[in-house]
Amino acid sequence: MVRFDLMTSDPRDPLLIPADPSLGTRVARGIAIFFFQSVLVRVMGFAAQIVLAYLLLPDEFGLIALVYSITALPSIIGQPGVDDVLQQRARRIDEWTGSAAAVAIVSAGIGSVVMIALAMLVVNLAEQFGPAGYADPRIIDLSIGIALALPLNGLTNIALARLRAAMRFKTLAGCATIDVVLTHLLTIGLAFWGAGVWSFVLPNLLLSLIRPWVYGHLAGMIWREAWLVSRWRSLLGAVKWTLPGRLSIALMHNGDYAILGLLASRGEVGIYYFAFALANQFIRTVSTSLATTLMPAWVELNDDRSRRDAAAVRSISVAMTALSPLVIAQAAVAEPAIALVYRGRWESAVLTFAILSLSLMFEPLRAIAQSILSAAGRFRVIGIMQFVQAVVFLAWVAIGAAMGGHVGAAVAVATFGLLVLPLWAWIALGRAMSVVTVLRAPLVAGCAFVGPWLITQSMHAVSTIDLILEILIIVAGGVIYVVLARIFMPEDIRAIRSRIGFLRPRQPASAQG
């Protein structure tokens, strides 16, 4: 029998995941597809940010950040995690799809109403008591635009859950890429034609009109028993734990904008928003793609916990080995990269961008660990952890923002990410996860890039060689990292090399001869 493994190359390796060759192949293929799709999305997102930074002002970036800080929580009420619950029930997904879609539509309608009401309340309070950044009537209009898209996007999420459960990764990646391309083109086009801050809102609203029908057709949506009350109760029973978790994540992803909006000017919020949007383009996209691709495998391995945990540790180790140098390199090239592209226009965002890049170091670990908990149906654990995490995060960011504005907030976000996110690995895997697995790759990457970065600091006085400085940091640091990784992480390097091609089956030793 031909066997496939997810992250290994040794036929004697016991961490083959899973024993079913077709599942192993599809998971490996999915990782390859999503990785290259993530790279493509990263390039397009970076290019779009460059263009938008020329077309829009920091004040407009700040305004949309404040809008998102208001709409984030109602968006989660409208999308409480029914798609996660549906995917966790993949073996009976046809029976649950109709009810899940009905719950998604109703909850999205409630979320839309709450969103508009909250925006009106915040603006009215800000006009009377401050802060001035929120006292802008455009916030209400923009929130209405976001709210109108919420119900249709909720239905789209159910179709996406069916595609993920069926491991149709090529379809998912292709559609996601097309979606991103259309979104960026519409955003840039609207900004060019003078739509201002509406350039961020209108593309999602326009695309929401076609997404449900396209994805629904591809997923073969099934509407039977949509209004079966007993199924609603079961779905809502699981959602009661996914909803608090999602609300907590929304607070973490947007609460820093709200805190800065209360403590600093809208221009500072715009600088912070721009830096974060630029920093998380690649790492968060790849991390989410990894978690999405691996979750069906964790569902299949729920009955064999030791095998699942061993495969998860290997997956996390390889992911950290592959992505840690990218995080460090991104932070290291912050100054020459922004100077080269923007020629001083966003100079104040350099330090914030570098710090926020480092905050994403353990994002792949968190995403994979959380996908393991979701596959096991441990939504209560996820919800509690995310709630505690959000409370600590907001308090810490408030202290940082009060002390240092957008740079202080970035420092708070980075220290939180580096100290707290690794805890997810031990919550999901317990003693199966070691400190060495978590810290080895980041430490090696830091040692590899610190030398080239220090050299370029002494050369940066010559402003015309920004591109040369970038190339020096990336090439020299990358070469040093590969050498060190082959010494300290040889198994991970072999796994990465063996899975560059991902698509070819490997015959066991007994069949080779």
Side-chain angles (χ1 to χ4, degrees), residues 37-50:
Q37 185 255 352
S38 298
V39 171
L40 179 60
V41 168
R42 160 65 171 169
V43 172
M44 290 188 295
F46 184 75
Q49 285 293 325
I50 292 174

Side-chain angles (χ1 to χ4, degrees), residues 177-262:
T177 302
I178 294 172
D179 196 303
V180 169
V181 169
L182 292 175
T183 299
H184 287 325
L185 290 177
L186 287 170
T187 302
I188 293 171
L190 288 167
F192 180 79
W193 289 106
V197 71
W198 277 97
S199 306
F200 293 104
V201 174
L202 288 177
N204 180 55
L205 179 59
L206 294 173
L207 292 176
S208 71
L209 299 174
I210 61 174
R211 286 188 189 116
W213 320 117
V214 173
Y215 286 109
H217 173 73
L218 293 172
M221 289 288 285
I222 297 174
W223 294 93
R224 67 184 184 214
E225 300 178 338
W227 306 102
L228 194 61
V229 176
S230 62
R231 294 228 168 116
W232 278 50
R233 288 199 197 101
S234 178
L235 290 168
L236 293 173
V239 164
K240 72 181 180 183
W241 292 113
T242 62
L243 178 58
R246 287 195 169 201
L247 288 171
S248 300
I249 290 297
L251 279 172
M252 288 184 58
H253 286 175
N254 298 275
D256 43 359
Y257 304 143
I259 290 170
L260 271 177
L262 294 172

Side-chain angles (χ1 to χ4, degrees), residues 332-333 336 452 455-463 465-474:
V333 302
I455 293 173
T456 59
Q457 290 304 294
S458 63
M459 301 169 59
H460 193 65
V462 185
S463 61
I465 61 171
D466 289 318
L467 180 60
I468 297 176
L469 296 182
E470 287 187 62
I471 295 173
L472 175 61
I473 293 174
I474 294 172

Side-chain angles (χ1 to χ4, degrees), residues 252 254-265 268-273 275-276 351-359 392-418:
M252 288 184 58
N254 298 275
D256 43 359
Y257 304 143
I259 290 170
L260 271 177
L262 294 172
L263 300 176
S265 67
E268 281 207 62
V269 179
I271 292 170
Y272 181 88
Y273 177 83
F276 215 155
L351 182 57
T352 303
F353 170 73
I355 295 170
L356 290 174
S357 295
L358 294 177
S359 74
V392 175
F393 175 82
L394 293 176
W396 193 238
V397 170
I399 294 172
M403 295 179 64
H406 63 90
V407 176
V411 171
V413 172
T415 53
F416 177 88
L418 295 173

Side-chain angles (χ1 to χ4, degrees), residues 221-465:
M221 289 288 285
I222 297 174
W223 294 93
R224 67 184 184 214
E225 300 178 338
W227 306 102
L228 194 61
V229 176
S230 62
R231 294 228 168 116
W232 278 50
R233 288 199 197 101
S234 178
L235 290 168
L236 293 173
V239 164
K240 72 181 180 183
W241 292 113
T242 62
L243 178 58
R246 287 195 169 201
L247 288 171
S248 300
I249 290 297
L251 279 172
M252 288 184 58
H253 286 175
N254 298 275
D256 43 359
Y257 304 143
I259 290 170
L260 271 177
L262 294 172
L263 300 176
S265 67
R266 187 185 292 175
E268 281 207 62
V269 179
I271 292 170
Y272 181 88
Y273 177 83
F274 166 79
F276 215 155
L278 205 61
N280 71 8
Q281 284 282 341
F282 181 70
I283 299 300
R284 187 160 283 168
T285 301
V286 172
S287 301
T288 302
S289 298
L290 274 173
T292 300
T293 308
L294 290 169
M295 187 170 171
W298 307 144
V299 172
E300 291 292 328
L301 290 173
N302 273 336
D303 297 331
D304 191 348
R305 181 169 178 175
S306 61
R307 190 184 190 87
R308 183 204 66 188
D309 289 354
V313 170
R314 174 59 59 83
S315 300
I316 289 173
S317 180
V318 173
M320 293 300 296
T321 299
L323 298 177
S324 293
L326 302 182
V327 173
I328 299 292
Q330 181 171 283
V333 302
E335 188 173 6
I338 290 180
L340 174 68
V341 175
Y342 298 110
R343 297 299 178 187
R345 183 171 183 177
W346 289 91
E347 185 177 355
S348 55
V350 169
L351 182 57
T352 303
F353 170 73
I355 295 170
L356 290 174
S357 295
L358 294 177
S359 74
L360 298 167
M361 178 66 72
F362 295 111
E363 183 63 22
L365 180 151
R366 181 210 61 79
I368 294 174
Q370 190 170 326
S371 73
I372 295 168
L373 294 171
S374 295
R378 297 173 64 186
F379 300 116
R380 182 174 181 270
V381 174
I382 296 174
I384 293 173
M385 178 62 181
Q386 288 176 334
F387 174 77
V388 174
Q389 189 175 260
V391 172
V392 175
F393 175 82
L394 293 176
W396 193 238
V397 170
I399 294 172
M403 295 179 64
H406 63 90
V407 176
V411 171
V413 172
T415 53
F416 177 88
L418 295 173
L419 295 175
V420 176
L421 291 188
L423 297 178
W424 280 95
W426 283 280
I427 292 173
L429 299 169
R431 295 181 179 179
M433 178 58 63
S434 69
V435 176
V436 173
T437 302
V438 173
L439 298 180
R440 180 175 51 190
L443 291 175
V444 171
C447 292
F449 281 89
V450 67
W453 179 78
L454 288 174
I455 293 173
T456 59
Q457 290 304 294
S458 63
M459 301 169 59
H460 193 65
V462 185
S463 61
T464 57
I465 61 171

Side-chain angles (χ1 to χ4, degrees), residues 468-492:
I468 297 176
L469 296 182
E470 287 187 62
I471 295 173
L472 175 61
I473 293 174
I474 294 172
V475 173
V479 170
I480 296 171
Y481 178 76
V482 171
V483 172
L484 293 177
R486 288 174 66 89
I487 297 172
F488 296 103
M489 299 169 288
E491 292 184 2
D492 291 344

